[in-house]
Amino acid sequence: MSLYQEYLTEIEERKTEGLAPKPIDDGALVSEIIAQIKDPANEHRADSLQFLIYNTLPGTTSAAGEKARFLEEIILGKSVAEEITPTFAFELLSHMKGGASIEVLLNLALGDDANIAQQAAEVLKTQVFLYDADMDQLASAFKAGNAVAKDLLESYAQAEFFTKLPDVQEEIQVVTYIAGEGDISTDLLSPGNQAHSRSDRELHGKCLISPEAQQEIEALKRLHPDKSVMLIAEKGTMGVGSSRMSGVNNVALWTGRQASEYVPFVNFAPIVAGTNGISPIFLTTVDVTGGIGLDLQNWAKKKDAEGNTVRDEDGEAILEQVYSVDTGNVLTINTKAQKLYQGETELIDISKALTPQKMEFMKAGGSYAIVFGKKLQSFAASTLGIETPVVFAPSKEISHEGQGLTAVEKIFNRNAVGTTPGLTLHAGSDLRVEVNVVGSQDTTGLMTMQELEAMAATVISPIVDVGYQSGCHTASVWDKKAQANIPKLMSFMQGFGLITARDPKDGYHAMTDVIHKVLNDLTVDDWDITIGGDSHTRMSKGVAFGADSGTVALALATGEANMPIPESVKVTFKGELKPHMDFRDVVHSTQSQMLKQFGDNVFQGRVIEVHIGTLPADKAFTFTDWTAEMKAKASICISQGETLIESLEIAKSRIQIMIDKGMDNEGGVLQGLVDKANNRIAQIQSGEKPPLAPDANANYFAEVVVDLDEIDEPMIADPDVNNDDVSKRYTHDTIRALSYYGGSYKVDLGFVGSCMVHKGDLQILSQMLRNLEEQQGEVKFNAPLVVAAPTYNIIDELKAEGDWDMLEKYSGFVFDDDAPKQAARTEYENMMYLERPGCNLCMGNQEKAAKGDTVMATSTRLFQGRVVEDSERKKGESLLSSTPVVVLSSVLGRTPSLEEYRSAVEGIDLTTFSPPVEELVAN
């Protein structure tokens, strides 16, 4: 059967699901389609024309290459298609946005036919995705005296590709739609259990919120055809949990505008809002697509006559509605006045959502065009030998004379690109920074691949020390979806220059280690910047930012990221941690004590600078990982010199294991990291460059002091699923002591795993089994216990030290890499399951607990439907706690009493922590 016939069969299958033909990225299929177009008698000619014109993906896909070359033939008169005139061929090339289309246009523009050259040049003036080879060709032609090349360079220097675009309209009419009450996780917009379909935009779009919500949105669009639908998190924050480009894509698909009539299902300009604004990492994704994210502030704390906050019987602030955003309200975003209006009534100032830089993203249809456009303008001005004309809004540079620097301010100043020489920048400054480490994970990786193809990138930027493509989010089940997607992803990323978790050619054993753990090892300098395609990209060395698949693609292609320097909150510790407490309890207590101290979440949208001091990066990651749940933008660990050296030595050993497995590439990227780590260790030991530390006179938004003496029993993050106030469910902010549950709260399943655990947690599990065995003769589980080590290294070390034998003794299932599961488990017995390293239940895209279960887990996610879905009998709930609490809950089938807990951990070395003795500041 021909590829075309196979495509027709797929089209019929998709029709049964109410789907249009899938956009084409395969060059071989496009080649058959072109052959049919060239044959006037071919029965499929008409459909083939439609597929070529309207359903072929642009960029660097092989399909785009075939299409561009065919259009070139038409322009040159070598092929004739009545429906595609040379003028129309140029129009189609203008929508292909890079790759083969730029190659064709440059060849035509610099060719001998003056008429064709002029037409090609006019199209090129609208394009920005030119890479080094393209710019070299243009520069060479200019130096050789080519007039068209000079004309192009002059246009690029003036940034006409941007200035000639229509301005953002002054008034944008929106109609409101309440997507949910309380914090809205990106799982509502793009569920984790549908991750396999993210790269199929139309199919994935069907999982937005619910079919009923989709019908309501469509009804609003019919009722208000001249307005945009604005999705709102009422009494909450929009987009918590992750950056989720697929979530923004879905919102744009249902409420945005089509980017090109010749590229299906790629929309932009979504508008989202929340009473408490937009989660920082999700807001970055909205900016990428030229959208708008509003902080509505439509509910405020009620005040009494003296101006004091009025509280309810539980001590919670009572909220009053300032204005209504109920579904169907018509509002106006005035981009000139930078205000939100309801009719003639001014509601709020929205200038933070409409900064000059964000307005440029909106005008250009997204941030990519601005990033590449600035680079193109600089190149053109340099080639012409002129000063770069001021076209784009200058980066905001904020500098306070005499004020010291926080840790993140120091990192940004060290990695800044294109700032005023000699000027020290503080929080609030907008700038470009070079990126050292970039991570792509496997459920967003296919989208990153598409983004790279769309921006015509073919190789990783030489600025990047290492790019890594994980396989952890699809590690649990090697099903047909994974078998179809993952080899394709690994092959592309390996060819692009990334280190890949799996070798497409089976040259080394698949590594399904959790991406955050791998990136934590690949970061070998405390001054590094990491960008990763997951909200938990929060390293214990340097600073790391979770990002959408597009920002990851941009970082891979350019080695840069655009962002403001965030404000910081300083976290220090006092007191002494009791021996029966685990560091996970410190993490939860930090959030609880912060909320008690300030009333509001001062961490939200800021960098948490945690003066951890004595805890190696492996264990400190438990804190930095949780900062995503604190709604922080990022976190930075400030470590003592000997601790940082210990962390770097651990990282070196683990990178060496990757090298020994055969995972390094021809460029020796991994070996380069080992060398870099050795250099950093030498700098610390010699005193040439001490560990990163803030200045003593740095300015913080707030300072939180965590009193370890207050922590006397395990702390549990509770989704509070039955709270009468819907907005207070699933927030991560309800932190309760173990005694709250009275030793009687039924637990249906336990989970020890995800990025929140380290080797010590598995050792704790092993020792608890030994203790219980000694006390009871044998260990019986009254609830299933699922265990997923985060890395293979941990398992290897546990095997060498004897702990793995203890785990296997009580397990009823042990993963087998030679015969991985091909179907997700739907039922669990009361036993222990030793699962493959990876995300497992925490991700929720493959394995899940039974509907309605109460799960006690070490993971990070308690969102509705993530780890466990609701059932008719009860709501599913995921309580988050330390490893010993999870293990004991699984053995008992209920939450333990404090006395049972103390007895079970007697003599066990938990993840202990002591605050640094001296203040960690720069000399």
Side-chain angles (χ1 to χ4, degrees):
M1 184 185 293
S2 70
L3 291 174
Y4 186 77
Q5 289 299 325
E6 290 177 4
Y7 187 52
L8 293 184
T9 300
E10 180 190 75
I11 289 173
E12 292 304 312
E13 292 172 353
R14 288 175 68 88
K15 279 182 181 178
T16 64
E17 300 179 62
L19 298 171
K22 192 173 183 179
I24 302 169
D25 61 2
D26 183 5
L29 173 57
V30 173
S31 181
E32 287 188 19
I33 286 172
I34 290 171
Q36 291 171 175
I37 291 172
K38 290 180 176 180
D39 178 7
N42 191 286
E43 62 176 315
H44 300 294
R45 186 175 182 280
D47 286 341
S48 294
L49 275 164
Q50 292 296 306
F51 292 143
L52 181 75
I53 294 170
Y54 296 104
N55 213 45
T56 301
L57 289 176
T60 55
T61 64
S62 58
E66 293 293 332
K67 180 176 180 177
R69 285 185 284 274
F70 179 52
L71 295 175
E72 181 182 30
E73 289 178 8
I74 291 174
I75 291 167
L76 293 174
K78 296 178 180 179
S79 289
V80 176
E82 183 180 341
E83 298 84 353
I84 305 177
T85 64
T87 300
F88 187 34
F90 273 121
E91 181 181 350
L92 291 175
L93 284 168
S94 75
H95 286 257
M96 293 179 67
K97 304 296 182 187
S101 64
I102 296 295
E103 180 183 348
V104 166
L105 287 166
L106 274 173
N107 289 339
L108 293 174
L110 303 178
D112 296 329
D113 189 310
N115 181 46
I116 289 176
Q118 189 56 46
Q119 292 181 76
E122 290 306 309
V123 174
L124 276 170
K125 289 177 183 179
T126 67
Q127 306 295 298
V128 294
F129 292 120
L130 275 70
Y131 284 84
D132 291 346
D134 306 316
M135 289 188 271
D136 288 344
Q137 183 181 0
L138 193 54
S140 296
F142 168 69
K143 290 171 184 175
N146 186 291
V148 173
K150 182 174 183 291
D151 181 44
L152 278 170
L153 288 169
E154 288 173 344
S155 175
Y156 289 151
Q158 296 299 325
E160 290 182 344
F161 48 76
F162 175 74
T163 59
K164 291 191 174 182
L165 293 172
D167 288 332
V168 177
Q169 61 196 94
E170 182 176 335
E171 290 190 345
I172 300 172
Q173 298 276 308
V174 299
V175 57
T176 59
Y177 180 78
I178 302 295
E181 191 171 339
D183 287 352
I184 290 184
S185 158
T186 47
D187 262 12
L188 186 72
L189 310 177
S190 167
N193 61 8
Q194 299 298 312
H196 62 278
S197 67
R198 286 175 181 166
S199 59
D200 186 344
R201 294 195 183 201
E202 184 194 17
L203 173 60
H204 195 68
K206 289 184 174 293
C207 69
L208 175 83
I209 310 177
S210 68
E212 294 76 21
Q214 294 163 20
Q215 291 170 11
E216 290 166 358
I217 291 169
E218 286 297 291
L220 281 175
K221 287 161 65 176
R222 289 192 296 271
L223 196 61
H224 303 274
D226 58 335
K227 299 174 181 66
S228 296
V229 176
M230 178 168 73
L231 262 60
I232 296 172
E234 175 74 317
K235 292 187 182 178
T237 302
M238 173 65 80
V240 298
S242 69
S243 49
R244 202 62 64 89
M245 186 71 168
S246 53
V248 171
N249 283 345
N250 279 352
V251 176
L253 188 66
W254 286 97
T255 68
R257 305 198 304 272
Q258 189 173 0
S260 166
E261 63 182 300
Y262 305 114
V263 183
F265 310 118
V266 177
N267 287 18
F268 72 109
I271 303 175
V272 293
T275 292
N276 299 325
I278 316 297
S279 176
I281 51 176
F282 190 64
L283 183 56
T284 300
T285 319
V286 174
D287 292 343
V288 163
T289 54
I292 302 174
L294 297 182
D295 183 359
L296 294 174
Q297 304 165 48
N298 59 308
W299 289 85
K301 292 178 181 177
K302 184 176 180 180
K303 302 289 184 180
D304 60 21
E306 285 73 40
N308 300 312
T309 299
V310 180
R311 299 184 181 278
D312 61 21
E313 58 187 18
D314 296 322
E316 298 285 347
I318 295 175
L319 299 179
E320 289 185 314
Q321 190 177 60
V322 181
Y323 62 93
S324 174
V325 292
D326 291 347
T327 295
N329 269 290
V330 175
L331 307 176
T332 301
I333 296 170
N334 189 301
T335 60
K336 186 174 181 180
Q338 299 193 322
K339 309 282 187 182
L340 182 67
Y341 291 91
Q342 190 164 40
E344 299 297 319
T345 304
E346 178 186 319
L347 300 178
I348 52 167
D349 179 279
I350 54 173
S351 56
K352 286 186 178 179
L354 301 171
T355 64
Q357 287 76 21
K358 293 187 179 190
M359 290 289 287
E360 287 175 347
F361 297 162
M362 292 165 61
K363 178 174 178 175
S367 63
Y368 300 162
I370 297 298
V371 173
F372 280 87
K374 287 180 178 179
K375 183 177 180 180
L376 184 57
Q377 185 196 24
S378 297
F379 150 76
S382 174
T383 304
L384 292 169
I386 62 173
E387 286 289 322
T388 303
V390 177
V391 172
F392 298 101
S395 294
K396 184 193 295 183
E397 295 187 335
I398 297 174
S399 184
H400 305 294
E401 189 174 350
Q403 179 179 305
L405 298 173
T406 64
V408 73
E409 287 170 340
K410 286 191 173 185
I411 292 175
F412 269 61
N413 275 277
R414 203 285 294 266
N415 293 281
V417 177
T419 56
T420 302
L423 186 65
T424 299
L425 301 177
H426 290 91
S429 299
D430 266 308
L431 65 159
R432 289 155 52 211
V433 289
E434 291 188 352
V435 175
N436 306 93
V437 180
V438 185
S440 170
Q441 54 103 326
D442 39 324
T443 53
T444 60
L446 288 170
M447 294 172 61
T448 298
M449 186 177 88
Q450 286 183 336
E451 300 286 352
L452 288 168
E453 289 176 330
M455 63 179 67
T458 58
V459 66
I460 190 171
S461 168
I463 296 173
V464 177
D465 290 335
V466 61
Y468 176 70
Q469 173 61 59
S470 80
C472 58
H473 288 68
T474 52
S476 303
V477 184
W478 191 234
D479 56 16
K480 290 182 179 179
K481 295 168 185 173
Q483 292 171 35
N485 290 334
I486 302 306
K488 175 183 177 182
L489 172 64
M490 295 296 166
S491 179
F492 178 91
M493 290 301 190
Q494 198 174 82
F496 197 82
L498 280 73
I499 302 298
T500 54
R502 301 172 185 266
D503 185 355
K505 301 174 184 175
D506 295 324
Y508 52 81
H509 190 279
M511 184 173 81
T512 58
D513 292 1
V514 176
I515 182 172
H516 324 303
K517 293 293 191 179
V518 179
L519 294 180
N520 207 34
D521 291 331
L522 297 183
T523 305
V524 292
D525 193 322
D526 46 325
W527 293 76
D528 277 357
I529 294 178
T530 299
I531 297 289
D534 193 288
S535 60
H536 290 96
T537 305
R538 291 161 186 267
M539 306 303 101
S540 314
K541 301 183 290 289
V543 66
F545 297 95
D548 60 277
S549 56
T551 300
V552 169
L554 201 60
L556 286 170
T558 67
E560 295 182 4
N562 282 60
M563 65 182 86
I565 302 178
E567 294 177 307
S568 295
V569 176
K570 182 179 181 179
V571 174
T572 56
F573 305 89
K574 68 177 183 178
E576 186 175 344
L577 186 64
K578 296 172 179 63
H580 63 281
M581 294 285 77
D582 187 78
F583 185 64
R584 178 69 183 254
D585 302 313
V586 176
V587 173
H588 286 180
S589 190
T590 298
Q591 188 159 349
S592 179
Q593 291 190 35
M594 176 273 296
L595 290 170
K596 286 179 182 176
Q597 289 173 33
F598 292 91
D600 292 315
N601 185 356
V602 296
F603 292 151
Q604 183 164 347
R606 301 181 177 93
V607 171
I608 298 176
E609 185 183 290
V610 55
H611 289 232
I612 209 104
T614 60
L615 212 56
D618 225 27
K619 298 177 180 179
F621 190 78
T622 304
F623 190 102
T624 58
D625 198 23
W626 185 259
T627 59
E629 275 52 65
M630 295 174 181
K631 299 182 184 177
K633 189 173 183 67
S635 62
I636 296 178
C637 284
I638 307 300
S639 296
Q640 296 175 175
E642 59 269 26
T643 305
L644 180 55
I645 290 173
E646 179 185 352
S647 297
L648 292 173
E649 291 289 358
I650 293 170
K652 279 171 50 185
S653 66
R654 290 178 178 167
I655 295 170
Q656 189 60 52
I657 290 171
M658 296 172 73
I659 294 172
D660 295 342
K661 286 183 68 172
M663 296 177 68
D664 210 351
N665 56 21
E666 292 180 2
V669 163
L670 293 178
Q671 183 57 52
L673 294 179
V674 173
D675 296 341
K676 183 176 177 179
N678 283 328
N679 180 61
R680 185 69 187 107
I681 291 169
Q683 289 177 331
I684 297 168
Q685 289 174 332
S686 68
E688 175 190 348
K689 189 177 179 183
L692 171 70
D695 293 327
N697 60 338
N699 183 61
Y700 294 93
F701 177 84
E703 297 191 28
V704 177
V705 180
V706 181
D707 189 348
L708 300 178
D709 291 331
E710 288 187 11
I711 310 172
D712 192 43
E713 56 179 302
M715 309 293 285
I716 296 174
D718 192 322
D720 207 9
V721 299
N722 295 310
N723 194 311
D724 291 338
D725 186 344
V726 177
S727 69
K728 292 176 181 174
R729 300 175 188 172
Y730 309 105
T731 67
H732 287 92
D733 286 343
T734 302
I735 308 293
R736 290 173 169 151
L738 179 64
S739 57
Y740 172 87
Y741 303 91
S744 59
Y745 201 77
K746 187 175 185 297
V747 173
D748 300 298
L749 183 142
F751 174 52
V752 173
S754 89
C755 43
M756 287 294 284
V757 299
H758 52 84
K759 178 183 174 182
D761 289 279
L762 279 298
Q763 291 173 318
I764 290 169
L765 167 57
S766 175
Q767 188 57 49
M768 287 186 72
L769 292 174
R770 287 189 178 92
N771 286 3
L772 291 167
E773 188 179 70
E774 289 176 6
Q775 295 168 12
Q776 305 171 9
E778 65 174 329
V779 181
K780 290 185 178 180
F781 289 92
N782 283 290
L785 176 62
V786 177
V787 179
T791 67
Y792 283 96
N793 290 342
I794 288 173
I795 293 175
D796 291 341
E797 291 170 18
L798 293 174
K799 286 179 177 178
E801 296 164 11
D803 288 299
W804 190 256
D805 291 339
M806 193 65 187
L807 301 185
E808 281 194 304
K809 178 179 179 179
Y810 282 103
S811 66
F813 172 85
V814 181
F815 74 92
D816 181 358
D817 273 337
D818 294 326
K821 286 185 298 183
Q822 296 194 9
R825 183 176 284 109
T826 56
E827 295 181 353
Y828 296 85
E829 298 178 39
N830 290 346
M831 65 184 192
M832 184 162 64
Y833 296 80
L834 294 180
E835 297 286 357
R836 199 178 200 182
C839 301
N840 203 276
L841 285 166
C842 188
M843 179 59 194
N845 63 319
Q846 294 182 326
E847 301 279 68
K848 275 187 180 295
K851 291 182 178 180
D853 270 4
T854 292
V855 179
M856 186 70 77
T858 61
S859 64
T860 59
R861 295 309 197 205
L862 50 67
F863 300 123
Q864 186 174 22
R866 182 64 177 252
V867 172
V868 55
E869 296 176 353
D870 297 340
S871 70
E872 292 183 2
R873 63 183 174 88
K874 68 182 285 285
K875 290 180 178 294
E877 54 186 338
S878 180
L879 306 175
L880 307 180
S881 64
S882 66
T883 292
V885 171
V886 173
V887 174
L888 198 52
S889 297
S890 301
V891 170
L892 298 172
R894 58 172 172 78
T895 55
S897 67
L898 186 56
E899 291 72 25
E900 288 171 321
Y901 169 82
R902 281 175 174 269
S903 175
V905 299
E906 185 85 35
I908 295 179
D909 183 18
L910 302 179
T911 312
T912 54
F913 168 66
S914 299
V917 176
E918 298 179 355
E919 188 178 6
L920 300 178
V921 293
N923 296 326

